[in-house]
Amino acid sequence: LAEEADDDLMVEKLTEKALAQLDQKAANSELSDEKRAAMAQQADAYLQGAVAQIVFEQAVQAIPDDLEFRQEFISVLSQFADMTQLRQLVLDSIQRDFAADAEARAFLCTVHLGAVSAESPELVDALQRAAAGFKQALGALDTPAMWSQYIAFLAQWRETCAGTDSLRAYLAALLKRAVAAISDNRDTRLSAELALACASELESSHGAASMELLNWLADATQRFAESAELWHRRLAALIAASHDGTVASGAASLARIDSLFSGQALSQAAGSRALWDLWFDWTEQCFGRGQVSVGQVQSRFISAFARVTQQRTVQAVSTDSDGMARLRALLAHLQVRYVDWAWGLPAGCSLSEAVELAHDDSDSEPDSDERMEPQTAGNLDAVRQAYRNVSRQAFPTPGFYRRCIELETDAKQQTMLHEMACRVDAADTQPWLAYLAHLVGLQQLTQASQVYWRASKSIPEDQQPA
């Protein structure tokens, strides 16, 4: 920007003026070489400040809404001496132009902390000054975003001051007071992001399975039911509480947790991989303790495939290609997890009743033989039943077939799986290449030739390997 014609002219005039003043002073008095050098440095500093201001003013005109530029400009100015006036000009511009921006206000409250180290005796005054700034900012901008900035500031500096008990206690007291202020005005101050931040503070102060945390998260998931992160935090806390005795851990508690997962959380956030993993982590733990049967676990996997497939159908009519890709990846992940679970089942444990039990959600106790420890080698029969079930009841993915092929030991079964994998997406090169490599390895060259011909007809010419 400084290279614009008008700016060049201005810089040139400033340079000429400064040099003329310097020459005039030199002509009117006898100056030593040291004095001349000092005056030259002053002129250079003056010109540098003037040029920087020109650059800043022109940039603000070109990108008036770019807060990050002004923040970076402040960072650059801090590397030079005698820039106090220009620095204040930039800060004043942020305060003027971004009065309703929570990030900008938080920056103004904390910008002075950049020059203070965590071991400096000046840190106490600097933190108090920042806290006072936030108090003033919250008075003018009482929004969830501003409170989120304040909570983040306090939590960050509490960790930074880990070695100073008095400062940690001071910041912890401010955090407790802030969470209480937010809790008293949840309708106007709370957001999903802020609810998560407050949950972290409650967990830190009361424990990961405390009733204070559970009650907070229960209210937050009612207010922000589509937040997968809040549901994950709530259910993880509830599971932890059932383990340590904070809440009851009997059949009724298991049914309640399962209902929260299947009836609410996964209905609101069916695309959350973390939430599905939490549910199946908990389900497999319950299965290991003999609290759910093989059929019940099977039912949950089949239900998961159906829900994610339904989400894919809905997503298909939108223009969010990234969302569609995430759902495809999630479906593949869940199908692979299903096969891995089947592989780890005890020897002799069967999935043949999967179709009949696909909708059985009863809480009856499983038979004693389902409490056996899983075998080390893997239950290949259960894996074969699993991939037949998926083929019949779900939409198999290439990743699912790859995992089945890795676990399968029979060559004929592997051939069948390769064949099925190629049918998922006939235009996908990788399944065909894997199929050909398998057939060549078996010396089945005639069949490999036939597969090659089919692949050449199915894969677009511009995607075929050279």
Side-chain angles (χ1 to χ4, degrees), residues 352-415:
S352 59
E353 73 275 24
V355 176
E356 290 76 10
L357 293 173
H359 302 290
D360 179 11
D361 294 323
S362 65
D363 293 316
S364 59
E365 286 292 312
D367 295 334
S368 59
D369 63 348
E370 292 179 359
R371 301 168 189 246
M372 299 167 57
E373 292 296 324
Q375 61 179 3
T376 304
N379 190 333
L380 186 56
D381 288 338
V383 168
R384 289 170 178 169
Q385 291 167 355
Y387 64 65
R388 292 188 188 105
N389 291 335
V390 171
S391 298
R392 289 196 300 265
Q393 302 186 52
F395 291 91
T397 61
F400 162 77
Y401 280 121
R402 281 196 299 270
R403 183 58 178 155
C404 293
I405 291 167
E406 291 172 359
L407 298 176
E408 182 58 72
T409 57
D410 182 80
K412 291 183 178 180
Q413 293 288 339
Q414 289 178 336
T415 300

Side-chain angles (χ1 to χ4, degrees), residues 107-435:
F107 175 76
L108 293 173
C109 293
T110 59
V111 65
H112 62 282
L113 289 169
V116 182
S117 69
E119 295 79 21
S120 172
E122 299 175 353
L123 181 61
V124 175
D125 291 337
L127 287 174
Q128 290 178 339
R129 177 183 166 190
F134 271 106
K135 182 178 180 180
Q136 183 179 4
L138 287 166
L141 192 65
D142 189 358
T143 64
M146 193 69 245
W147 281 100
S148 293
Q149 292 286 342
Y150 183 40
I151 293 290
F153 156 74
L154 294 174
Q156 175 191 346
W157 277 98
R158 183 179 60 179
E159 296 304 315
T160 302
C161 301
T164 310
D165 293 340
S166 58
L167 272 180
R168 278 182 60 84
Y170 166 69
L171 292 166
L174 291 180
L175 267 168
K176 183 177 180 180
R177 193 181 307 166
V179 172
I182 294 166
S183 181
D184 291 341
N185 295 273
R186 300 185 193 189
D187 290 340
T188 58
R189 291 177 177 170
L190 198 61
S191 65
E193 178 187 1
L194 186 54
L196 283 168
C198 291
S200 296
E201 171 52 26
L202 289 170
E203 181 177 339
S204 175
S205 57
H206 297 285
S210 63
M211 289 307 300
E212 291 84 356
L213 177 61
L214 289 173
N215 291 335
W216 174 270
L217 289 169
D219 178 77
T221 50
Q222 288 182 354
R223 293 174 181 273
F224 310 103
E226 295 183 358
S227 172
E229 293 83 359
L230 279 171
W231 277 112
H232 189 283
R233 289 291 292 271
R234 179 186 177 183
L235 290 162
L238 194 56
I239 291 170
S242 68
H243 287 166
D244 71 3
T246 303
V247 298
S249 58
S253 176
L254 295 178
R256 177 170 176 259
I257 294 175
D258 188 48
S259 175
L260 286 173
F261 267 115
S262 60
Q264 297 186 49
L266 292 169
S267 295
Q268 298 287 348
S272 171
R273 174 170 171 168
L275 204 51
W276 283 110
D277 277 341
L278 180 64
W279 191 34
F280 282 114
D281 286 344
W282 175 72
T283 295
E284 291 176 19
Q285 289 170 10
C286 291
F287 174 74
R289 294 191 294 266
Q291 295 171 316
V292 296
S293 67
V294 171
Q296 288 171 315
V297 179
Q298 172 84 8
S299 170
R300 295 178 187 186
F301 273 113
I302 298 301
S303 174
F305 303 154
R307 286 194 181 189
V308 176
T309 300
Q310 183 180 21
Q311 286 292 113
R312 285 181 60 188
T313 303
V314 173
Q315 193 74 45
V317 301
S318 74
T319 57
D320 184 7
S321 58
D322 291 340
M324 190 67 176
R326 286 192 298 270
L327 288 173
R328 282 197 298 268
L330 174 59
L331 182 59
H333 170 72
L334 292 175
Q335 290 176 350
V336 168
R337 179 158 188 164
Y338 171 49
V339 171
D340 287 340
W341 169 73
W343 174 258
L345 286 174
C349 187
S350 173
L351 298 183
S352 59
E353 73 275 24
V355 176
E356 290 76 10
L357 293 173
H359 302 290
D360 179 11
D361 294 323
S362 65
D363 293 316
S364 59
E365 286 292 312
D367 295 334
S368 59
D369 63 348
E370 292 179 359
R371 301 168 189 246
M372 299 167 57
E373 292 296 324
Q375 61 179 3
T376 304
N379 190 333
L380 186 56
D381 288 338
V383 168
R384 289 170 178 169
Q385 291 167 355
Y387 64 65
R388 292 188 188 105
N389 291 335
V390 171
S391 298
R392 289 196 300 265
Q393 302 186 52
F395 291 91
T397 61
F400 162 77
Y401 280 121
R402 281 196 299 270
R403 183 58 178 155
C404 293
I405 291 167
E406 291 172 359
L407 298 176
E408 182 58 72
T409 57
D410 182 80
K412 291 183 178 180
Q413 293 288 339
Q414 289 178 336
T415 300
M416 181 270 294
L417 289 168
H418 278 293
E419 180 69 31
M420 298 299 292
C422 290
R423 296 179 184 179
V424 174
D425 181 4
D428 187 354
T429 304
Q430 295 306 316
W432 290 108
L433 291 175
Y435 193 6

Side-chain angles (χ1 to χ4, degrees), residues 58-112:
Q58 292 293 323
V60 167
Q61 291 181 17
I63 45 175
D65 299 326
D66 193 336
L67 174 63
E68 184 180 359
F69 164 75
R70 302 194 200 194
Q71 293 172 325
E72 290 296 328
F73 203 88
I74 288 289
S75 177
V76 171
L77 291 179
S78 66
Q79 302 174 28
F80 299 94
D82 301 325
M83 290 292 180
T84 304
Q85 184 176 356
L86 180 55
R87 184 175 183 274
Q88 189 59 49
L89 184 147
V90 178
L91 293 175
D92 290 343
S93 77
I94 293 175
Q95 187 169 15
R96 179 187 66 247
D97 298 339
F98 296 91
D101 189 301
E103 181 184 351
R105 283 188 171 272
F107 175 76
L108 293 173
C109 293
T110 59
V111 65
H112 62 282

